[in-house]
Amino acid sequence: MSIEYPVRSVGIVGFPGVEILDITGPTEVFSFTNLYFQRRGCTQTTVYPLTLLAEEAGQLATLSGIRIVAEKSFRTAEDHFDTLLIPGGDLGKVLSNSDLLDWVKSVAPKVRRIVSVCTGAFILADCGLLDGRRATTHWNHCREFSRTYPKITVEPDRIFIKDGNVVTSGGITSGIDLALALVEDDWGQEVALHVARYLVVFLKRPGGQSQFSHYLALEASTRPDLRDLQVWIMQHPDRDLRVEALAERMAMSPRNFARLFISETGLTPAKFVEMVRIDTARHLLSATMLDIDGIADKSGFKDPERMRRAFLRQLGVNPSDYRKRFGRSDGAVLAGVPDPEIERGPYRSVAQTEYERKGRLMDH
DNA sequence: AGCGTGCGCCGCCATT
DNA sequence: CAAATGGCGGCGCACG
């Protein structure tokens, strides 16, 4: 049995100094989607053929020094791409490379959609593709971005932004969320959720639960009431969030509530609550001078010892070590603190927090 | 460091 | 009969 599915070719634009994770994050999402359809025996072909393009075919040194290989030169690429993906990285030589910019400009009207990850938004902006649109980029470059391109409405506090057929995303982790959103647009929520779950398994890092995709935690919920509950939990981590209490809030039996929560979000209620509390505590540790006891109280752990155990379990460090590494109490990290103008609310998404951590590490 | 205890989770079955 | 819901008991784990 073979069912025909539309093939959506993805072209990725590489250049020397590209951030490799901006490429591999989204491509993993696409390739697992390919695998999803192949495993179901529905098609022999891949639904997302992936092509890495560069000025010249051949080796390309990425930002980290690791080399990747571009399949062909964009000068000679005749494929019709459904989606064009522009990653970020060191743009010093790219923004003065008129050949690459000219090519992006010429091909943009021919593709169904064009997307960027991280500072890749600067390339789109330079091509004039974002004029009059809303967009986002790496939080640390937002000020520079809006100064350089005043015609663009910059929204720093976003994982990704869709405006027409142009989609921009914040950073490394958000590139994965962006790709998942594209998969959802193309194939529906069920497929995207399957892929997201696969990725969690394969991309699970020492951060444990805390590394779960923003998409997986929130967007995957079909039922609006459950989504609302998740948002409410994030806004009130210090409340009584036991299964019993949450079930009552939802006017359901504990058994049924827990069962539904798992099927909708992929997480058990207690796991989700702990994840939110850890993220809240992480934010308070890195962005405020509040003492550990106060943070334990505000984040809902109440007992600092309980918070310490949860940190060791999920992150591998205790709260005070976490603060020493990422907090403001150590003046040395002030360079990595976001501009006041893009300061965020009481809760930041996992992806955003993780991205910020990465950003700070890079500033050292 | 260790241990009793309560909570969260799940399998299973009854009910609607 | 299928599907959704609720209750019960046991097991593992985190808490205190």
Side-chain angles (χ1 to χ4, degrees):
Chain A
M1 182 190 75
S2 172
I3 302 171
E4 286 297 317
Y5 282 91
V7 171
R8 299 181 165 106
S9 182
V10 180
I12 301 151
V13 181
F15 50 86
V18 66
E19 165 57 61
I20 193 170
L21 212 44
D22 288 359
I23 293 176
T24 54
T27 54
E28 289 305 312
V29 172
F30 292 128
S31 76
F32 276 109
T33 307
N34 289 337
L35 207 60
Y36 172 86
F37 282 102
Q38 284 163 1
R39 288 246 171 98
R40 304 197 132 207
C42 290
T43 176
Q44 279 79 39
T45 60
T46 55
V47 294
Y48 289 119
L50 304 167
T51 310
L52 180 60
L53 307 162
E55 192 165 3
E56 304 293 343
Q59 282 195 17
L60 209 57
T62 66
L63 193 57
S64 63
I66 296 289
R67 287 169 183 277
I68 55 180
V69 176
E71 198 175 312
K72 54 179 81 164
S73 165
F74 57 70
R75 297 181 208 278
T76 59
E78 291 164 4
D79 311 55
H80 175 71
F81 294 108
D82 171 89
T83 303
L84 195 65
L85 188 144
I86 316 287
D90 178 3
L91 299 174
K93 287 178 184 155
V94 175
L95 294 180
S96 56
N97 180 341
S98 58
D99 281 355
L100 190 147
L101 296 175
D102 285 347
W103 182 77
V104 171
K105 254 185 261 186
S106 71
V107 81
K110 299 183 205 160
V111 300
R112 187 166 65 96
R113 64 191 168 195
I114 184 161
V115 305
S116 74
V117 182
C118 198
T119 51
F122 280 80
I123 297 177
L124 297 186
D126 228 52
C127 294
L129 296 168
L130 290 174
D131 288 350
R133 294 183 190 268
R134 297 178 303 123
T136 193
T137 184
H138 184 313
W139 61 263
N140 204 32
H141 294 79
C142 278
R143 178 178 281 180
E144 176 192 354
F145 191 78
S146 58
R147 230 189 288 121
T148 315
Y149 308 104
K151 289 181 191 164
I152 303 168
T153 309
V154 186
E155 298 186 20
D157 189 21
R158 292 288 295 272
I159 303 294
F160 57 82
I161 294 177
K162 274 185 220 177
D163 191 336
N165 69 332
V166 184
V167 195
T168 52
S169 70
I172 291 153
T173 327
S174 46
I176 294 173
D177 289 88
L178 161 75
L180 284 167
L182 299 181
V183 169
E184 182 173 65
D185 281 349
D186 292 346
W187 309 103
Q189 189 180 64
E190 200 188 335
V191 176
L193 185 57
H194 264 89
V195 175
R197 287 192 171 136
Y198 267 114
L199 283 171
V200 171
V201 172
F202 283 107
L203 291 183
K204 193 168 177 182
R205 289 167 282 179
Q209 301 292 341
S210 199
Q211 305 279 342
F212 274 45
S213 155
H214 182 258
Y215 177 90
L216 191 60
L218 277 184
E219 313 297 331
S221 294
T222 319
R223 292 180 49 151
D225 52 347
L226 257 184
R227 237 193 74 110
D228 291 346
L229 180 74
Q230 289 181 300
V231 171
W232 182 82
I233 289 172
M234 291 178 185
Q235 288 165 342
H236 307 95
D238 56 337
R239 300 270 186 107
D240 178 1
L241 301 178
R242 289 173 306 169
V243 173
E244 192 188 345
L246 294 175
E248 185 172 355
R249 209 186 148 74
M250 296 289 286
M252 302 169 82
S253 74
R255 181 71 185 89
N256 205 40
F257 165 72
R259 186 160 39 205
L260 184 80
F261 194 95
I262 292 167
S263 74
E264 291 290 327
T265 69
L267 292 171
T268 68
K271 286 268 167 57
F272 179 80
V273 168
E274 182 174 75
M275 180 184 105
V276 169
R277 285 181 169 155
I278 285 189
D279 280 339
T280 305
R282 285 171 69 176
H283 170 238
L284 292 173
L285 282 167
S286 61
T288 74
M289 300 291 284
L290 216 59
D291 63 16
I292 304 280
D293 275 33
I295 290 173
D297 201 56
K298 274 198 155 185
S299 59
F301 287 106
K302 304 299 177 192
D303 180 11
E305 175 58 19
R306 197 184 147 203
M307 176 167 89
R308 199 182 71 86
R309 287 187 187 187
F311 262 65
L312 287 173
R313 191 167 56 242
Q314 298 294 341
L315 306 173
V317 291
N318 61 43
S320 58
D321 281 350
Y322 184 89
R323 167 167 273 170
K324 277 180 203 152
R325 282 163 64 186
F326 305 119
R328 278 187 181 177
S329 56
D330 174 0
V333 302
L334 276 176
V337 171
D339 295 335
E341 72 178 34
I342 60 168
E343 195 54 71
R344 290 169 267 268
Y347 180 78
R348 274 178 269 176
S349 75
V350 173
Q352 202 76 29
T353 310
E354 196 53 33
Y355 190 72
E356 178 180 331
R357 190 171 75 99
K358 196 122 193 165
R360 288 188 181 173
L361 288 174
M362 284 171 64
D363 283 340
H364 279 289

